[in-house]
């Protein structure tokens, strides 16, 4: 499960409403376990973690843009994100 979701972060801000902010129904069966060095941890924001404490979403600035890294996939063999009502708002926010 996702936990510690920062609903003030631009990626999750569109879901910052009690009607949309519940992530407990989205199951994750597989994810990548990411370990950041102390130096890398200073440059990355972690707007969401898994309930295990592992980073789920990471973000860093690169030049004039930003890099957002998901430690999971949206395919059915990895998670239920692709069939969740939160999928479209998340993708839309990434595109904007």
């Amino acid at each position: 499960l996702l936990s510690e979701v920062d609903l003030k972060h631009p990626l999750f801000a569109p879901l910052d409403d009690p009607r949309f902010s519940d992530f407990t129904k989205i199951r994750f069966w597989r994810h990548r376990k990411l370990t950041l060095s102390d130096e890398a941890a200073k440059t990355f924001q972690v707007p969401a973690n898994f309930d295990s404490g592992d980073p789920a979403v990471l973000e860093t600035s690169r030049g004039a843009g930003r890099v957002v890294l998901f430690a999971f996939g949206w395919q059915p063999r990895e998670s239920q994100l692709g069939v969740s009502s939160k999928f479209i708002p998340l993708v839309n926010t990434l595109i904007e």
Side-chain angles (χ1 to χ4, degrees):
L1 297 175
L2 288 182
S3 66
E4 301 174 39
V5 177
D6 179 5
L7 295 171
K8 301 300 181 203
H9 186 277
L11 181 63
F12 295 104
L15 302 168
D16 187 16
D17 180 303
R19 295 174 294 166
F20 310 120
S21 61
D22 181 10
F23 288 85
T24 61
K25 303 229 183 320
I26 304 172
R27 301 284 182 234
F28 295 86
W29 293 282
R30 294 171 44 183
H31 72 276
R32 283 91 192 141
K33 186 171 176 75
L34 305 171
T35 305
L36 299 174
S37 68
D38 291 339
E39 185 176 323
K42 294 175 187 174
T43 64
F44 279 90
Q45 283 186 300
V46 182
N49 288 306
F50 290 107
D51 56 352
S52 65
D54 293 334
V57 180
L58 298 99
E59 179 188 30
T60 189
S61 297
R62 289 289 184 252
R66 63 185 183 149
V67 176
V68 179
L69 175 68
F70 291 89
F72 55 85
W74 58 270
Q75 302 86 353
R77 70 177 179 270
E78 294 204 17
S79 73
Q80 293 176 321
L81 181 63
V83 297
S84 166
S85 62
K86 290 158 184 43
F87 182 69
I88 297 298
L90 287 173
V91 171
N92 189 44
T93 303
L94 283 171
I95 292 170
E96 289 178 350

